[in-house]
PDB file of all heavy atoms in Angstrom:
ATOM      1  N   LYS C 183     -64.074 -26.832  25.574  1.00 98.00           N
ATOM      2  CA  LYS C 183     -64.864 -26.314  24.478  1.00 98.00           C
ATOM      3  C   LYS C 183     -65.107 -24.856  24.685  1.00 98.00           C
ATOM      4  O   LYS C 183     -65.396 -24.366  25.727  1.00 98.00           O
ATOM      5  CB  LYS C 183     -66.136 -27.152  24.448  1.00 98.00           C
ATOM      6  CG  LYS C 183     -67.101 -26.711  23.386  1.00 98.00           C
ATOM      7  CD  LYS C 183     -68.423 -27.551  23.354  1.00 98.00           C
ATOM      8  CE  LYS C 183     -69.314 -27.210  22.272  1.00 98.00           C
ATOM      9  NZ  LYS C 183     -70.525 -27.948  22.306  1.00 98.00           N
ATOM     10  N   SER C 184     -65.015 -24.152  23.533  1.00 98.00           N
ATOM     11  CA  SER C 184     -65.422 -22.686  23.468  1.00 98.00           C
ATOM     12  C   SER C 184     -66.440 -22.475  22.551  1.00 98.00           C
ATOM     13  O   SER C 184     -66.471 -23.002  21.444  1.00 98.00           O
ATOM     14  CB  SER C 184     -64.215 -21.813  23.244  1.00 98.00           C
ATOM     15  OG  SER C 184     -64.572 -20.500  23.035  1.00 98.00           O
ATOM     16  N   SER C 185     -67.531 -21.794  22.879  1.00 97.00           N
ATOM     17  CA  SER C 185     -68.591 -21.505  21.966  1.00 97.00           C
ATOM     18  C   SER C 185     -68.527 -20.028  21.467  1.00 97.00           C
ATOM     19  O   SER C 185     -69.487 -19.562  20.853  1.00 97.00           O
ATOM     20  CB  SER C 185     -69.943 -21.672  22.653  1.00 97.00           C
ATOM     21  OG  SER C 185     -70.130 -23.076  23.037  1.00 97.00           O
ATOM     22  N   ASN C 186     -67.493 -19.319  21.801  1.00 97.00           N
ATOM     23  CA  ASN C 186     -67.445 -17.863  21.391  1.00 97.00           C
ATOM     24  C   ASN C 186     -65.986 -17.586  20.870  1.00 97.00           C
ATOM     25  O   ASN C 186     -65.362 -16.575  21.101  1.00 97.00           O
ATOM     26  CB  ASN C 186     -67.655 -16.960  22.628  1.00 97.00           C
ATOM     27  CG  ASN C 186     -66.932 -17.302  23.853  1.00 97.00           C
ATOM     28  OD1 ASN C 186     -65.824 -18.000  23.759  1.00 97.00           O
ATOM     29  ND2 ASN C 186     -67.244 -16.819  25.013  1.00 97.00           N
ATOM     30  N   GLY C 187     -65.490 -18.594  20.142  1.00 96.00           N
ATOM     31  CA  GLY C 187     -64.207 -18.283  19.420  1.00 96.00           C
ATOM     32  C   GLY C 187     -62.969 -18.232  20.255  1.00 96.00           C
ATOM     33  O   GLY C 187     -61.988 -17.716  19.918  1.00 96.00           O
ATOM     34  N   GLY C 188     -63.107 -18.789  21.454  1.00 96.00           N
ATOM     35  CA  GLY C 188     -61.896 -18.879  22.332  1.00 96.00           C
ATOM     36  C   GLY C 188     -61.805 -17.887  23.436  1.00 96.00           C
ATOM     37  O   GLY C 188     -60.927 -17.792  24.237  1.00 96.00           O
ATOM     38  N   ASN C 189     -62.937 -16.994  23.524  1.00 96.00           N
ATOM     39  CA  ASN C 189     -62.915 -15.994  24.623  1.00 96.00           C
ATOM     40  C   ASN C 189     -63.029 -16.639  25.988  1.00 96.00           C
ATOM     41  O   ASN C 189     -62.554 -16.114  26.955  1.00 96.00           O
ATOM     42  CB  ASN C 189     -64.029 -15.065  24.296  1.00 96.00           C
ATOM     43  CG  ASN C 189     -63.811 -14.136  23.039  1.00 96.00           C
ATOM     44  OD1 ASN C 189     -62.632 -13.873  22.732  1.00 96.00           O
ATOM     45  ND2 ASN C 189     -64.794 -13.808  22.407  1.00 96.00           N
ATOM     46  N   SER C 190     -63.790 -17.707  26.021  1.00 97.00           N
ATOM     47  CA  SER C 190     -63.993 -18.441  27.380  1.00 97.00           C
ATOM     48  C   SER C 190     -64.063 -20.018  26.935  1.00 97.00           C
ATOM     49  O   SER C 190     -64.411 -20.444  25.889  1.00 97.00           O
ATOM     50  CB  SER C 190     -65.356 -18.044  28.029  1.00 97.00           C
ATOM     51  OG  SER C 190     -66.466 -18.255  27.257  1.00 97.00           O
ATOM     52  N   TRP C 191     -63.675 -20.809  28.039  1.00 98.00           N
ATOM     53  CA  TRP C 191     -63.630 -22.252  27.821  1.00 98.00           C
ATOM     54  C   TRP C 191     -64.186 -22.960  28.973  1.00 98.00           C
ATOM     55  O   TRP C 191     -64.279 -22.554  30.096  1.00 98.00           O
ATOM     56  CB  TRP C 191     -62.102 -22.680  27.783  1.00 98.00           C
ATOM     57  CG  TRP C 191     -61.304 -22.089  26.563  1.00 98.00           C
ATOM     58  CD1 TRP C 191     -60.760 -20.833  26.637  1.00 98.00           C
ATOM     59  CD2 TRP C 191     -61.226 -22.473  25.340  1.00 98.00           C
ATOM     60  NE1 TRP C 191     -60.097 -20.522  25.396  1.00 98.00           N
ATOM     61  CE2 TRP C 191     -60.282 -21.582  24.596  1.00 98.00           C
ATOM     62  CE3 TRP C 191     -61.479 -23.866  24.686  1.00 98.00           C
ATOM     63  CZ2 TRP C 191     -59.912 -21.800  23.284  1.00 98.00           C
ATOM     64  CZ3 TRP C 191     -61.193 -23.994  23.354  1.00 98.00           C
ATOM     65  CH2 TRP C 191     -60.327 -23.142  22.716  1.00 98.00           C
ATOM     66  N   THR C 192     -64.861 -24.160  28.495  1.00 97.00           N
ATOM     67  CA  THR C 192     -65.441 -25.026  29.535  1.00 97.00           C
ATOM     68  C   THR C 192     -64.918 -26.424  29.406  1.00 97.00           C
ATOM     69  O   THR C 192     -64.813 -26.952  28.179  1.00 97.00           O
ATOM     70  CB  THR C 192     -67.027 -25.122  29.416  1.00 97.00           C
ATOM     71  OG1 THR C 192     -67.589 -23.781  29.480  1.00 97.00           O
ATOM     72  CG2 THR C 192     -67.681 -25.990  30.455  1.00 97.00           C
ATOM     73  N   ASN C 193     -64.504 -27.042  30.406  1.00 97.00           N
ATOM     74  CA  ASN C 193     -64.051 -28.500  30.385  1.00 97.00           C
ATOM     75  C   ASN C 193     -65.237 -29.337  29.969  1.00 97.00           C
ATOM     76  O   ASN C 193     -66.231 -29.324  30.708  1.00 97.00           O
ATOM     77  CB  ASN C 193     -63.388 -28.943  31.624  1.00 97.00           C
ATOM     78  CG  ASN C 193     -62.703 -30.184  31.510  1.00 97.00           C
ATOM     79  OD1 ASN C 193     -63.324 -31.235  31.353  1.00 97.00           O
ATOM     80  ND2 ASN C 193     -61.394 -30.245  31.663  1.00 97.00           N
ATOM     81  N   THR C 194     -65.114 -30.146  29.008  1.00 97.00           N
ATOM     82  CA  THR C 194     -66.151 -30.986  28.395  1.00 97.00           C
ATOM     83  C   THR C 194     -65.839 -32.472  28.618  1.00 97.00           C
ATOM     84  O   THR C 194     -66.351 -33.286  27.899  1.00 97.00           O
ATOM     85  CB  THR C 194     -66.531 -30.565  27.075  1.00 97.00           C
ATOM     86  OG1 THR C 194     -67.604 -31.364  26.638  1.00 97.00           O
ATOM     87  CG2 THR C 194     -65.371 -31.008  26.092  1.00 97.00           C
ATOM     88  N   GLY C 195     -64.923 -32.871  29.492  1.00 96.00           N
ATOM     89  CA  GLY C 195     -64.725 -34.252  29.789  1.00 96.00           C
ATOM     90  C   GLY C 195     -63.365 -34.846  29.413  1.00 96.00           C
ATOM     91  O   GLY C 195     -62.502 -34.134  28.927  1.00 96.00           O
ATOM     92  N   LEU C 196     -63.263 -36.188  29.585  1.00 97.00           N
ATOM     93  CA  LEU C 196     -62.089 -36.949  29.314  1.00 97.00           C
ATOM     94  C   LEU C 196     -60.898 -36.547  30.201  1.00 97.00           C
ATOM     95  O   LEU C 196     -59.718 -36.653  29.757  1.00 97.00           O
ATOM     96  CB  LEU C 196     -61.743 -36.937  27.911  1.00 97.00           C
ATOM     97  CG  LEU C 196     -62.764 -37.498  26.926  1.00 97.00           C
ATOM     98  CD1 LEU C 196     -62.294 -37.438  25.435  1.00 97.00           C
ATOM     99  CD2 LEU C 196     -63.178 -38.891  27.268  1.00 97.00           C
ATOM    100  N   LYS C 197     -61.175 -36.042  31.357  1.00 96.00           N
ATOM    101  CA  LYS C 197     -60.031 -35.567  32.206  1.00 96.00           C
ATOM    102  C   LYS C 197     -58.970 -36.743  32.487  1.00 96.00           C
ATOM    103  O   LYS C 197     -57.809 -36.514  32.533  1.00 96.00           O
ATOM    104  CB  LYS C 197     -60.510 -34.994  33.506  1.00 96.00           C
ATOM    105  CG  LYS C 197     -59.534 -34.547  34.491  1.00 96.00           C
ATOM    106  CD  LYS C 197     -60.161 -33.997  35.716  1.00 96.00           C
ATOM    107  CE  LYS C 197     -58.977 -33.443  36.744  1.00 96.00           C
ATOM    108  NZ  LYS C 197     -59.652 -32.900  37.933  1.00 96.00           N
ATOM    109  N   GLU C 198     -59.568 -37.930  32.726  1.00 95.00           N
ATOM    110  CA  GLU C 198     -58.759 -39.050  33.116  1.00 95.00           C
ATOM    111  C   GLU C 198     -57.812 -39.503  32.007  1.00 95.00           C
ATOM    112  O   GLU C 198     -56.865 -40.190  32.321  1.00 95.00           O
ATOM    113  CB  GLU C 198     -59.640 -40.209  33.649  1.00 95.00           C
ATOM    114  CG  GLU C 198     -60.320 -39.931  34.947  1.00 95.00           C
ATOM    115  CD  GLU C 198     -61.617 -39.087  34.686  1.00 95.00           C
ATOM    116  OE1 GLU C 198     -61.948 -38.834  33.488  1.00 95.00           O
ATOM    117  OE2 GLU C 198     -62.215 -38.605  35.636  1.00 95.00           O
ATOM    118  N   THR C 199     -58.092 -39.116  30.764  1.00 97.00           N
ATOM    119  CA  THR C 199     -57.200 -39.568  29.809  1.00 97.00           C
ATOM    120  C   THR C 199     -55.865 -38.909  29.720  1.00 97.00           C
ATOM    121  O   THR C 199     -54.901 -39.385  29.202  1.00 97.00           O
ATOM    122  CB  THR C 199     -57.893 -39.426  28.362  1.00 97.00           C
ATOM    123  OG1 THR C 199     -58.138 -37.967  28.096  1.00 97.00           O
ATOM    124  CG2 THR C 199     -59.255 -40.072  28.401  1.00 97.00           C
ATOM    125  N   ARG C 200     -55.762 -37.704  30.301  1.00 96.00           N
ATOM    126  CA  ARG C 200     -54.589 -36.946  30.470  1.00 96.00           C
ATOM    127  C   ARG C 200     -53.842 -36.469  29.308  1.00 96.00           C
ATOM    128  O   ARG C 200     -53.180 -35.400  29.328  1.00 96.00           O
ATOM    129  CB  ARG C 200     -53.564 -37.732  31.359  1.00 96.00           C
ATOM    130  CG  ARG C 200     -54.141 -38.083  32.762  1.00 96.00           C
ATOM    131  CD  ARG C 200     -54.457 -36.768  33.476  1.00 96.00           C
ATOM    132  NE  ARG C 200     -55.208 -37.006  34.692  1.00 96.00           N
ATOM    133  CZ  ARG C 200     -55.653 -35.957  35.510  1.00 96.00           C
ATOM    134  NH1 ARG C 200     -55.436 -34.802  35.161  1.00 96.00           N
ATOM    135  NH2 ARG C 200     -56.338 -36.272  36.573  1.00 96.00           N
ATOM    136  N   ILE C 201     -53.888 -37.183  28.207  1.00 97.00           N
ATOM    137  CA  ILE C 201     -53.243 -36.620  26.985  1.00 97.00           C
ATOM    138  C   ILE C 201     -54.150 -36.893  25.837  1.00 97.00           C
ATOM    139  O   ILE C 201     -54.414 -37.990  25.503  1.00 97.00           O
ATOM    140  CB  ILE C 201     -51.827 -37.340  26.664  1.00 97.00           C
ATOM    141  CG1 ILE C 201     -50.843 -37.004  27.803  1.00 97.00           C
ATOM    142  CG2 ILE C 201     -51.300 -36.981  25.325  1.00 97.00           C
ATOM    143  CD1 ILE C 201     -49.483 -37.621  27.601  1.00 97.00           C
ATOM    144  N   ILE C 202     -54.602 -35.853  25.202  1.00 98.00           N
ATOM    145  CA  ILE C 202     -55.442 -35.872  24.018  1.00 98.00           C
ATOM    146  C   ILE C 202     -54.608 -35.638  22.748  1.00 98.00           C
ATOM    147  O   ILE C 202     -53.941 -34.582  22.638  1.00 98.00           O
ATOM    148  CB  ILE C 202     -56.571 -34.793  24.096  1.00 98.00           C
ATOM    149  CG1 ILE C 202     -57.469 -35.042  25.281  1.00 98.00           C
ATOM    150  CG2 ILE C 202     -57.350 -34.861  22.771  1.00 98.00           C
ATOM    151  CD1 ILE C 202     -58.311 -36.261  25.232  1.00 98.00           C
ATOM    152  N   SER C 203     -54.497 -36.663  21.944  1.00 98.00           N
ATOM    153  CA  SER C 203     -53.637 -36.586  20.775  1.00 98.00           C
ATOM    154  C   SER C 203     -54.275 -35.919  19.564  1.00 98.00           C
ATOM    155  O   SER C 203     -53.510 -35.165  18.854  1.00 98.00           O
ATOM    156  CB  SER C 203     -53.132 -38.010  20.431  1.00 98.00           C
ATOM    157  OG  SER C 203     -54.241 -38.768  20.095  1.00 98.00           O
ATOM    158  N   GLN C 204     -55.584 -36.261  19.334  1.00 97.00           N
ATOM    159  CA  GLN C 204     -56.229 -35.713  18.078  1.00 97.00           C
ATOM    160  C   GLN C 204     -57.728 -35.507  18.445  1.00 97.00           C
ATOM    161  O   GLN C 204     -58.306 -36.178  19.174  1.00 97.00           O
ATOM    162  CB  GLN C 204     -56.110 -36.716  16.967  1.00 97.00           C
ATOM    163  CG  GLN C 204     -54.754 -36.796  16.350  1.00 97.00           C
ATOM    164  CD  GLN C 204     -54.404 -35.663  15.398  1.00 97.00           C
ATOM    165  OE1 GLN C 204     -55.276 -35.173  14.590  1.00 97.00           O
ATOM    166  NE2 GLN C 204     -53.174 -35.123  15.564  1.00 97.00           N
ATOM    167  N   ILE C 205     -58.281 -34.551  17.794  1.00 98.00           N
ATOM    168  CA  ILE C 205     -59.772 -34.264  17.845  1.00 98.00           C
ATOM    169  C   ILE C 205     -60.212 -34.073  16.441  1.00 98.00           C
ATOM    170  O   ILE C 205     -59.604 -33.398  15.609  1.00 98.00           O
ATOM    171  CB  ILE C 205     -60.014 -32.956  18.698  1.00 98.00           C
ATOM    172  CG1 ILE C 205     -59.437 -33.087  20.060  1.00 98.00           C
ATOM    173  CG2 ILE C 205     -61.472 -32.796  18.761  1.00 98.00           C
ATOM    174  CD1 ILE C 205     -59.626 -31.769  20.913  1.00 98.00           C
ATOM    175  N   HIS C 206     -61.319 -34.685  16.126  1.00 97.00           N
ATOM    176  CA  HIS C 206     -61.980 -34.564  14.825  1.00 97.00           C
ATOM    177  C   HIS C 206     -63.416 -34.259  15.016  1.00 97.00           C
ATOM    178  O   HIS C 206     -64.210 -35.024  15.699  1.00 97.00           O
ATOM    179  CB  HIS C 206     -61.823 -35.723  13.897  1.00 97.00           C
ATOM    180  CG  HIS C 206     -62.454 -35.724  12.543  1.00 97.00           C
ATOM    181  ND1 HIS C 206     -61.731 -35.056  11.545  1.00 97.00           N
ATOM    182  CD2 HIS C 206     -63.667 -35.958  12.201  1.00 97.00           C
ATOM    183  CE1 HIS C 206     -62.574 -35.089  10.457  1.00 97.00           C
ATOM    184  NE2 HIS C 206     -63.712 -35.674  10.852  1.00 97.00           N
ATOM    185  N   VAL C 207     -63.928 -33.125  14.426  1.00 97.00           N
ATOM    186  CA  VAL C 207     -65.380 -32.786  14.331  1.00 97.00           C
ATOM    187  C   VAL C 207     -65.876 -33.218  13.041  1.00 97.00           C
ATOM    188  O   VAL C 207     -65.406 -32.696  12.050  1.00 97.00           O
ATOM    189  CB  VAL C 207     -65.508 -31.344  14.717  1.00 97.00           C
ATOM    190  CG1 VAL C 207     -67.040 -30.985  14.776  1.00 97.00           C
ATOM    191  CG2 VAL C 207     -64.880 -30.937  15.957  1.00 97.00           C
ATOM    192  N   SER C 208     -66.988 -33.987  13.017  1.00 96.00           N
ATOM    193  CA  SER C 208     -67.644 -34.483  11.783  1.00 96.00           C
ATOM    194  C   SER C 208     -68.172 -33.160  10.889  1.00 96.00           C
ATOM    195  O   SER C 208     -68.778 -32.334  11.418  1.00 96.00           O
ATOM    196  CB  SER C 208     -68.772 -35.435  12.048  1.00 96.00           C
ATOM    197  OG  SER C 208     -69.551 -35.689  10.939  1.00 96.00           O
ATOM    198  N   ARG C 209     -67.935 -33.386   9.637  1.00 94.00           N
ATOM    199  CA  ARG C 209     -68.473 -32.384   8.652  1.00 94.00           C
ATOM    200  C   ARG C 209     -70.041 -32.682   8.450  1.00 94.00           C
ATOM    201  O   ARG C 209     -70.714 -31.746   8.112  1.00 94.00           O
ATOM    202  CB  ARG C 209     -67.699 -32.494   7.330  1.00 94.00           C
ATOM    203  CG  ARG C 209     -66.234 -32.052   7.469  1.00 94.00           C
ATOM    204  CD  ARG C 209     -65.575 -32.228   6.109  1.00 94.00           C
ATOM    205  NE  ARG C 209     -64.126 -31.931   6.162  1.00 94.00           N
ATOM    206  CZ  ARG C 209     -63.739 -30.571   6.020  1.00 94.00           C
ATOM    207  NH1 ARG C 209     -64.594 -29.637   5.767  1.00 94.00           N
ATOM    208  NH2 ARG C 209     -62.348 -30.352   6.063  1.00 94.00           N
ATOM    209  N   GLN C 210     -70.379 -33.898   8.583  1.00 94.00           N
ATOM    210  CA  GLN C 210     -71.848 -34.220   8.348  1.00 94.00           C
ATOM    211  C   GLN C 210     -72.694 -33.927   9.605  1.00 94.00           C
ATOM    212  O   GLN C 210     -73.808 -33.431   9.465  1.00 94.00           O
ATOM    213  CB  GLN C 210     -71.878 -35.814   8.008  1.00 94.00           C
ATOM    214  CG  GLN C 210     -71.449 -36.087   6.642  1.00 94.00           C
ATOM    215  CD  GLN C 210     -69.928 -36.292   6.606  1.00 94.00           C
ATOM    216  OE1 GLN C 210     -69.369 -36.944   7.562  1.00 94.00           O
ATOM    217  NE2 GLN C 210     -69.263 -35.699   5.710  1.00 94.00           N
ATOM    218  N   ASN C 211     -72.146 -34.199  10.764  1.00 95.00           N
ATOM    219  CA  ASN C 211     -72.918 -33.965  12.021  1.00 95.00           C
ATOM    220  C   ASN C 211     -71.935 -33.327  13.082  1.00 95.00           C
ATOM    221  O   ASN C 211     -71.160 -34.083  13.661  1.00 95.00           O
ATOM    222  CB  ASN C 211     -73.479 -35.213  12.498  1.00 95.00           C
ATOM    223  CG  ASN C 211     -74.375 -34.990  13.830  1.00 95.00           C
ATOM    224  OD1 ASN C 211     -74.471 -33.883  14.210  1.00 95.00           O
ATOM    225  ND2 ASN C 211     -74.970 -36.062  14.250  1.00 95.00           N
ATOM    226  N   PRO C 212     -71.951 -32.088  13.335  1.00 95.00           N
ATOM    227  CA  PRO C 212     -70.977 -31.403  14.168  1.00 95.00           C
ATOM    228  C   PRO C 212     -71.092 -31.860  15.648  1.00 95.00           C
ATOM    229  O   PRO C 212     -70.185 -31.633  16.494  1.00 95.00           O
ATOM    230  CB  PRO C 212     -71.321 -29.919  14.128  1.00 95.00           C
ATOM    231  CG  PRO C 212     -72.659 -29.924  13.554  1.00 95.00           C
ATOM    232  CD  PRO C 212     -72.926 -31.020  12.713  1.00 95.00           C
ATOM    233  N   ASN C 213     -72.198 -32.537  16.008  1.00 97.00           N
ATOM    234  CA  ASN C 213     -72.294 -33.083  17.387  1.00 97.00           C
ATOM    235  C   ASN C 213     -71.489 -34.385  17.518  1.00 97.00           C
ATOM    236  O   ASN C 213     -71.256 -34.905  18.635  1.00 97.00           O
ATOM    237  CB  ASN C 213     -73.773 -33.420  17.758  1.00 97.00           C
ATOM    238  CG  ASN C 213     -74.497 -32.085  18.058  1.00 97.00           C
ATOM    239  OD1 ASN C 213     -73.944 -31.182  18.633  1.00 97.00           O
ATOM    240  ND2 ASN C 213     -75.714 -32.041  17.519  1.00 97.00           N
ATOM    241  N   THR C 214     -71.050 -34.906  16.414  1.00 97.00           N
ATOM    242  CA  THR C 214     -70.266 -36.141  16.385  1.00 97.00           C
ATOM    243  C   THR C 214     -68.733 -35.734  16.504  1.00 97.00           C
ATOM    244  O   THR C 214     -68.184 -35.163  15.487  1.00 97.00           O
ATOM    245  CB  THR C 214     -70.512 -37.052  15.203  1.00 97.00           C
ATOM    246  OG1 THR C 214     -71.866 -37.482  15.217  1.00 97.00           O
ATOM    247  CG2 THR C 214     -69.539 -38.280  15.237  1.00 97.00           C
ATOM    248  N   ILE C 215     -68.004 -36.199  17.510  1.00 97.00           N
ATOM    249  CA  ILE C 215     -66.680 -35.835  17.729  1.00 97.00           C
ATOM    250  C   ILE C 215     -65.924 -37.004  18.073  1.00 97.00           C
ATOM    251  O   ILE C 215     -66.281 -37.877  18.946  1.00 97.00           O
ATOM    252  CB  ILE C 215     -66.542 -34.711  18.737  1.00 97.00           C
ATOM    253  CG1 ILE C 215     -67.392 -33.562  18.535  1.00 97.00           C
ATOM    254  CG2 ILE C 215     -65.069 -34.300  18.976  1.00 97.00           C
ATOM    255  CD1 ILE C 215     -67.542 -32.684  19.760  1.00 97.00           C
ATOM    256  N   TYR C 216     -64.655 -37.150  17.491  1.00 98.00           N
ATOM    257  CA  TYR C 216     -63.856 -38.333  17.787  1.00 98.00           C
ATOM    258  C   TYR C 216     -62.521 -37.664  18.506  1.00 98.00           C
ATOM    259  O   TYR C 216     -62.003 -36.598  18.070  1.00 98.00           O
ATOM    260  CB  TYR C 216     -63.336 -39.128  16.627  1.00 98.00           C
ATOM    261  CG  TYR C 216     -64.489 -39.733  15.841  1.00 98.00           C
ATOM    262  CD1 TYR C 216     -64.996 -39.173  14.693  1.00 98.00           C
ATOM    263  CD2 TYR C 216     -65.049 -40.929  16.391  1.00 98.00           C
ATOM    264  CE1 TYR C 216     -66.098 -39.781  14.008  1.00 98.00           C
ATOM    265  CE2 TYR C 216     -66.136 -41.564  15.741  1.00 98.00           C
ATOM    266  CZ  TYR C 216     -66.563 -41.027  14.558  1.00 98.00           C
ATOM    267  OH  TYR C 216     -67.697 -41.646  13.918  1.00 98.00           O
ATOM    268  N   ALA C 217     -62.039 -38.322  19.507  1.00 98.00           N
ATOM    269  CA  ALA C 217     -60.856 -37.924  20.252  1.00 98.00           C
ATOM    270  C   ALA C 217     -59.989 -39.153  20.598  1.00 98.00           C
ATOM    271  O   ALA C 217     -60.336 -40.117  21.202  1.00 98.00           O
ATOM    272  CB  ALA C 217     -61.246 -37.168  21.613  1.00 98.00           C
ATOM    273  N   GLY C 218     -58.709 -38.980  20.125  1.00 98.00           N
ATOM    274  CA  GLY C 218     -57.690 -39.987  20.516  1.00 98.00           C
ATOM    275  C   GLY C 218     -56.999 -39.631  21.763  1.00 98.00           C
ATOM    276  O   GLY C 218     -56.782 -38.441  22.030  1.00 98.00           O
ATOM    277  N   ALA C 219     -56.695 -40.612  22.608  1.00 98.00           N
ATOM    278  CA  ALA C 219     -56.130 -40.319  23.903  1.00 98.00           C
ATOM    279  C   ALA C 219     -55.007 -41.315  24.182  1.00 98.00           C
ATOM    280  O   ALA C 219     -55.109 -42.530  23.900  1.00 98.00           O
ATOM    281  CB  ALA C 219     -57.170 -40.477  25.062  1.00 98.00           C
ATOM    282  N   MET C 220     -53.883 -40.915  24.806  1.00 98.00           N
ATOM    283  CA  MET C 220     -52.746 -41.686  25.119  1.00 98.00           C
ATOM    284  C   MET C 220     -52.670 -42.078  26.576  1.00 98.00           C
ATOM    285  O   MET C 220     -51.981 -42.937  27.032  1.00 98.00           O
ATOM    286  CB  MET C 220     -51.467 -40.962  24.813  1.00 98.00           C
ATOM    287  CG  MET C 220     -51.105 -40.829  23.338  1.00 98.00           C
ATOM    288  SD  MET C 220     -50.938 -42.503  22.507  1.00 98.00           S
ATOM    289  CE  MET C 220     -49.553 -43.141  23.444  1.00 98.00           C
ATOM    290  N   GLY C 221     -53.578 -41.514  27.423  1.00 97.00           N
ATOM    291  CA  GLY C 221     -53.695 -41.892  28.861  1.00 97.00           C
ATOM    292  C   GLY C 221     -52.492 -41.287  29.654  1.00 97.00           C
ATOM    293  O   GLY C 221     -51.596 -40.586  29.146  1.00 97.00           O
ATOM    294  N   LEU C 222     -52.502 -41.569  30.992  1.00 95.00           N
ATOM    295  CA  LEU C 222     -51.442 -41.123  31.835  1.00 95.00           C
ATOM    296  C   LEU C 222     -50.103 -41.766  31.429  1.00 95.00           C
ATOM    297  O   LEU C 222     -50.145 -43.047  31.437  1.00 95.00           O
ATOM    298  CB  LEU C 222     -51.738 -41.464  33.289  1.00 95.00           C
ATOM    299  CG  LEU C 222     -50.860 -40.891  34.335  1.00 95.00           C
ATOM    300  CD1 LEU C 222     -50.879 -39.422  34.385  1.00 95.00           C
ATOM    301  CD2 LEU C 222     -51.151 -41.503  35.690  1.00 95.00           C
ATOM    302  N   PRO C 223     -49.114 -41.055  30.961  1.00 94.00           N
ATOM    303  CA  PRO C 223     -47.951 -41.692  30.382  1.00 94.00           C
ATOM    304  C   PRO C 223     -47.027 -42.368  31.474  1.00 94.00           C
ATOM    305  O   PRO C 223     -46.110 -43.198  31.085  1.00 94.00           O
ATOM    306  CB  PRO C 223     -47.143 -40.479  29.814  1.00 94.00           C
ATOM    307  CG  PRO C 223     -47.583 -39.361  30.544  1.00 94.00           C
ATOM    308  CD  PRO C 223     -49.026 -39.526  30.975  1.00 94.00           C
TER     309      PRO C 223
END
């Protein structure tokens, strides 16, 4: 996650999933995020 347009980044979890396929940030509530994961292949 970056809070400054990509100038710096912080790992915000789901390390064990290994492959993130999709991320969706809610338009109604930006704190609600969905993430699809394929796991260690």
